[in-house]
Amino acid sequence: MTKSENISDLVKALLVVQAGITPVKRDSINSYYNSRYADLSSVWESCREALAKNGLCVIQGNSVGPAANTLIVETLLIHESGQWIQSKLCLPLAKADPQGVGSAMTYGRRYGLAAIIGLVSDPDDDGNAASAKNGNGNVRPLKLNERSANGGYRPAAASQPRTAPVGQTVAGSRSVS
Protein backbone atom coordinates (compact mmCIF):
# COMPACT_ATOMS: atom_id res chain seq x y z
CA MET A 1 0.00 0.00 0.00
CA THR A 2 1.24 3.46 -0.82
CA LYS A 3 0.03 6.76 0.62
CA SER A 4 0.52 10.47 0.57
CA GLU A 5 3.05 11.93 2.99
CA ASN A 6 0.32 12.84 5.47
CA ILE A 7 -3.00 11.00 5.84
CA SER A 8 -4.34 12.47 9.11
CA ASP A 9 -7.42 14.13 7.54
CA LEU A 10 -8.16 11.02 5.47
CA VAL A 11 -7.94 8.83 8.57
CA LYS A 12 -10.31 11.09 10.55
CA ALA A 13 -12.86 10.93 7.72
CA LEU A 14 -12.45 7.16 7.29
CA LEU A 15 -13.00 6.64 11.03
CA VAL A 16 -16.41 8.29 10.71
CA VAL A 17 -17.25 6.20 7.63
CA GLN A 18 -16.20 2.94 9.28
CA ALA A 19 -18.17 3.72 12.45
CA GLY A 20 -21.36 3.94 10.41
CA ILE A 21 -21.10 1.12 7.90
CA THR A 22 -22.34 -2.41 8.42
CA PRO A 23 -21.35 -5.65 6.70
CA VAL A 24 -22.37 -5.69 3.05
CA LYS A 25 -25.46 -7.70 2.13
CA ARG A 26 -24.59 -10.86 0.23
CA ASP A 27 -27.44 -10.63 -2.25
CA SER A 28 -25.96 -12.39 -5.30
CA ILE A 29 -25.67 -16.13 -5.87
CA ASN A 30 -22.60 -18.01 -7.10
CA SER A 31 -24.16 -21.01 -8.81
CA TYR A 32 -20.85 -22.91 -9.04
CA TYR A 33 -20.27 -22.88 -5.27
CA ASN A 34 -23.98 -22.63 -4.41
CA SER A 35 -23.21 -19.69 -2.13
CA ARG A 36 -24.18 -16.07 -1.67
CA TYR A 37 -21.81 -13.14 -2.15
CA ALA A 38 -21.85 -9.36 -2.33
CA ASP A 39 -21.42 -8.15 -5.88
CA LEU A 40 -19.63 -4.92 -6.82
CA SER A 41 -22.87 -2.92 -6.84
CA SER A 42 -23.72 -4.04 -3.30
CA VAL A 43 -20.25 -3.20 -2.01
CA TRP A 44 -20.32 0.21 -3.68
CA GLU A 45 -23.84 1.06 -2.46
CA SER A 46 -22.93 0.12 1.11
CA CYS A 47 -20.28 2.86 1.33
CA ARG A 48 -20.88 5.40 -1.46
CA GLU A 49 -23.02 7.85 0.50
CA ALA A 50 -20.92 7.69 3.68
CA LEU A 51 -17.73 8.28 1.70
CA ALA A 52 -19.17 11.31 -0.11
CA LYS A 53 -20.56 12.84 3.12
CA ASN A 54 -17.08 12.65 4.63
CA GLY A 55 -15.12 14.11 1.74
CA LEU A 56 -13.79 10.80 0.42
CA CYS A 57 -13.88 9.34 -3.07
CA VAL A 58 -12.63 6.16 -4.68
CA ILE A 59 -10.91 5.86 -8.05
CA GLN A 60 -10.13 2.47 -9.54
CA GLY A 61 -8.09 1.66 -12.59
CA ASN A 62 -6.33 -1.24 -14.28
CA SER A 63 -3.01 -2.03 -15.83
CA VAL A 64 -1.27 -5.03 -17.35
CA GLY A 65 0.30 -7.24 -14.71
CA PRO A 66 4.01 -8.11 -14.54
CA ALA A 67 3.48 -11.75 -15.48
CA ALA A 68 1.68 -13.12 -18.53
CA ASN A 69 -2.10 -13.22 -18.21
CA THR A 70 -2.29 -11.03 -15.13
CA LEU A 71 -4.16 -7.81 -14.45
CA ILE A 72 -3.49 -5.20 -11.77
CA VAL A 73 -6.50 -3.46 -10.25
CA GLU A 74 -5.55 -0.21 -8.50
CA THR A 75 -7.79 1.31 -5.85
CA LEU A 76 -7.19 4.87 -4.69
CA LEU A 77 -9.02 6.39 -1.71
CA ILE A 78 -8.75 10.19 -1.82
CA HIS A 79 -9.76 12.78 0.76
CA GLU A 80 -10.88 16.28 -0.24
CA SER A 81 -7.68 17.59 1.38
CA GLY A 82 -5.68 15.80 -1.33
CA GLN A 83 -4.47 13.06 1.01
CA TRP A 84 -4.67 9.55 -0.43
CA ILE A 85 -3.94 5.85 0.05
CA GLN A 86 -3.56 3.36 -2.78
CA SER A 87 -3.71 -0.40 -2.98
CA LYS A 88 -2.87 -2.66 -5.92
CA LEU A 89 -4.12 -6.19 -6.48
CA CYS A 90 -2.53 -8.44 -9.11
CA LEU A 91 -4.94 -11.05 -10.42
CA PRO A 92 -4.43 -14.01 -12.75
CA LEU A 93 -6.73 -14.07 -15.76
CA ALA A 94 -8.84 -17.22 -15.98
CA LYS A 95 -9.11 -16.57 -19.72
CA ALA A 96 -6.99 -14.21 -21.80
CA ASP A 97 -9.94 -12.69 -23.64
CA PRO A 98 -12.20 -9.67 -23.03
CA GLN A 99 -14.57 -11.67 -20.81
CA GLY A 100 -11.69 -12.94 -18.66
CA VAL A 101 -10.29 -9.42 -18.30
CA GLY A 102 -13.73 -8.02 -17.45
CA SER A 103 -14.32 -10.72 -14.87
CA ALA A 104 -10.94 -10.10 -13.20
CA MET A 105 -11.56 -6.33 -13.24
CA THR A 106 -14.93 -6.65 -11.51
CA TYR A 107 -13.57 -9.12 -8.96
CA GLY A 108 -10.54 -6.94 -8.24
CA ARG A 109 -12.61 -3.79 -7.95
CA ARG A 110 -14.97 -5.47 -5.48
CA TYR A 111 -12.19 -6.77 -3.25
CA GLY A 112 -10.06 -3.64 -3.63
CA LEU A 113 -12.93 -1.36 -2.61
CA ALA A 114 -13.92 -3.54 0.34
CA ALA A 115 -10.32 -3.77 1.55
CA ILE A 116 -9.43 -0.09 1.32
CA ILE A 117 -12.62 0.99 3.12
CA GLY A 118 -12.54 -1.85 5.65
CA LEU A 119 -15.82 -3.45 4.58
CA VAL A 120 -16.78 -7.01 5.38
CA SER A 121 -18.36 -8.46 2.27
CA ASP A 122 -17.73 -12.20 2.13
CA PRO A 123 -17.55 -15.00 4.68
CA ASP A 124 -14.10 -15.76 6.04
CA ASP A 125 -13.01 -19.28 5.01
CA ASP A 126 -9.89 -19.11 7.20
CA GLY A 127 -7.67 -19.29 4.11
CA ASN A 128 -8.95 -22.71 3.04
CA ALA A 129 -9.41 -21.84 -0.62
CA ALA A 130 -6.03 -20.12 -0.83
CA SER A 131 -4.12 -22.98 0.78
CA ALA A 132 -5.26 -26.10 -1.05
CA LYS A 133 -3.73 -29.28 0.33
CA ASN A 134 -2.26 -30.21 -3.03
CA GLY A 135 -0.44 -26.87 -3.15
CA ASN A 136 -1.45 -25.95 -6.69
CA GLY A 137 -4.46 -23.80 -5.85
CA ASN A 138 -6.99 -26.21 -7.35
CA VAL A 139 -9.68 -26.37 -4.71
CA ARG A 140 -12.80 -28.45 -5.04
CA PRO A 141 -15.76 -26.65 -3.47
CA LEU A 142 -17.09 -28.36 -0.36
CA LYS A 143 -20.50 -30.00 -0.61
CA LEU A 144 -23.17 -28.77 1.79
CA ASN A 145 -22.21 -29.68 5.37
CA GLU A 146 -19.01 -31.41 4.18
CA ARG A 147 -16.02 -31.14 6.54
CA SER A 148 -12.69 -29.93 5.19
CA ALA A 149 -9.34 -31.38 6.28
CA ASN A 150 -8.88 -28.65 8.91
CA GLY A 151 -12.33 -29.11 10.43
CA GLY A 152 -14.12 -26.25 8.69
CA TYR A 153 -17.23 -26.95 6.70
CA ARG A 154 -19.57 -25.32 4.23
CA PRO A 155 -22.91 -24.65 5.90
CA ALA A 156 -26.16 -25.25 4.10
CA ALA A 157 -27.71 -22.31 2.26
CA ALA A 158 -29.90 -19.98 4.30
CA SER A 159 -33.09 -21.57 2.94
CA GLN A 160 -32.00 -24.99 4.19
CA PRO A 161 -31.76 -26.08 7.84
CA ARG A 162 -28.31 -25.47 9.29
CA THR A 163 -26.76 -28.55 10.81
CA ALA A 164 -23.39 -29.47 12.20
CA PRO A 165 -21.76 -32.79 13.04
CA VAL A 166 -22.93 -34.36 16.30
CA GLY A 167 -21.43 -32.65 19.34
CA GLN A 168 -20.67 -29.37 17.53
CA THR A 169 -22.66 -26.22 16.92
CA VAL A 170 -23.06 -24.19 13.76
CA ALA A 171 -21.34 -20.79 13.80
CA GLY A 172 -23.81 -18.12 14.85
CA SER A 173 -26.10 -20.60 16.65
CA ARG A 174 -26.46 -21.34 20.31
CA SER A 175 -26.36 -24.75 21.86
CA VAL A 176 -29.34 -25.54 24.04
CA SER A 177 -28.82 -27.33 27.33
Side-chain angles (χ1 to χ4, degrees), residues 71-166:
L71 175 80
I72 295 175
V73 176
E74 302 167 16
T75 303
L76 188 63
L77 178 64
I78 306 169
H79 185 258
E80 62 192 359
S81 66
Q83 297 174 2
W84 56 272
I85 56 175
Q86 181 184 35
S87 177
K88 294 181 181 182
L89 177 61
C90 185
L91 299 162
L93 297 178
K95 296 187 318 181
D97 62 12
Q99 289 75 26
V101 171
S103 179
M105 285 171 53
T106 302
Y107 187 89
R109 288 185 62 207
R110 176 168 48 115
Y111 277 93
L113 176 59
I116 209 159
I117 303 300
L119 292 170
V120 176
S121 63
D122 287 315
D124 185 347
D125 75 350
D126 196 28
N128 289 331
S131 59
K133 272 196 130 183
N134 61 10
N136 67 9
N138 293 326
V139 179
R140 176 184 59 80
L142 293 175
K143 294 177 184 163
L144 293 179
N145 295 318
E146 177 183 6
R147 279 241 169 249
S148 67
N150 72 351
Y153 76 102
R154 181 173 161 222
S159 62
Q160 298 176 346
R162 294 172 56 178
T163 60
V166 176

Side-chain angles (χ1 to χ4, degrees), residues 17 21-28 37-51 58 60 75 106-122:
V17 170
I21 55 177
T22 58
V24 181
K25 292 180 183 173
R26 295 190 303 263
D27 53 5
S28 295
Y37 72 98
D39 66 11
L40 179 57
S41 295
S42 297
V43 174
W44 180 240
E45 281 304 310
S46 73
C47 63
R48 179 185 53 79
E49 190 174 318
L51 291 170
V58 174
Q60 293 183 301
T75 303
T106 302
Y107 187 89
R109 288 185 62 207
R110 176 168 48 115
Y111 277 93
L113 176 59
I116 209 159
I117 303 300
L119 292 170
V120 176
S121 63
D122 287 315

